Amino acid sequence: VTTFPHWIAAGVSWRWHPAWRWMVQVEWMDWSGAFDALPVRLSNGDNPDINGFLANTSADDSIPLRWRDQTVVRTGLAVRPAPGWELRAGAAFGPNRFRPRR
């Protein structure tokens, strides 16, 4: 069973002009508390080279992940140039939180 991380997000939106809006959102994800390993279970392999290497037709392994918690900041700008139209642009920054092997 894969456990997904807890997630908290908060954001604000500011309309400083009837046609313009600016948004910002901050999210925190509890990756370290979700799961530490990804199980890999393969069965009924039909590749003779791989089966010969494994000396079996199945494999049962686990890939360590060692995630760290992550904070992501998003920001965006929206403009309404005409009724019924809205153009949006934005960016997000969230560093990779994989903990490399030491």
Side-chain angles (χ1 to χ4, degrees), residues 67-100:
W67 293 111
R68 292 184 184 175
D69 296 345
Q70 183 179 35
T71 302
V72 177
V73 179
R74 304 171 192 272
T75 187
L77 189 64
V79 62
R80 291 183 182 257
W85 286 88
E86 183 171 85
L87 303 175
R88 298 178 184 174
F93 175 75
N96 181 355
R97 300 308 294 172
F98 176 71
R99 194 176 317 144

Side-chain angles (χ1 to χ4, degrees), residues 13-23 76-81 85-89:
S13 175
W14 177 38
R15 185 177 301 276
W16 76 86
H17 182 277
W20 289 88
R21 184 168 42 116
W22 174 72
M23 296 84 56
L77 189 64
V79 62
R80 291 183 182 257
W85 286 88
E86 183 171 85
L87 303 175
R88 298 178 184 174

Side-chain angles (χ1 to χ4, degrees), residues 5 9 16 25 33 35 42 55 57 62-63 65 67 81 91 94 99 101:
W16 76 86
Q25 179 174 323
F35 54 97
L42 306 174
T57 60
S62 180
I63 300 169
L65 296 174
W67 293 111
R99 194 176 317 144
R101 202 177 289 244

Side-chain angles (χ1 to χ4, degrees), residues 34-59:
F35 54 97
D36 293 327
L38 180 65
V40 178
R41 291 184 181 91
L42 306 174
S43 61
N44 300 321
D46 61 0
N47 184 317
D49 294 328
I50 294 175
N51 292 346
F53 176 75
L54 295 174
N56 202 336
T57 60
S58 63

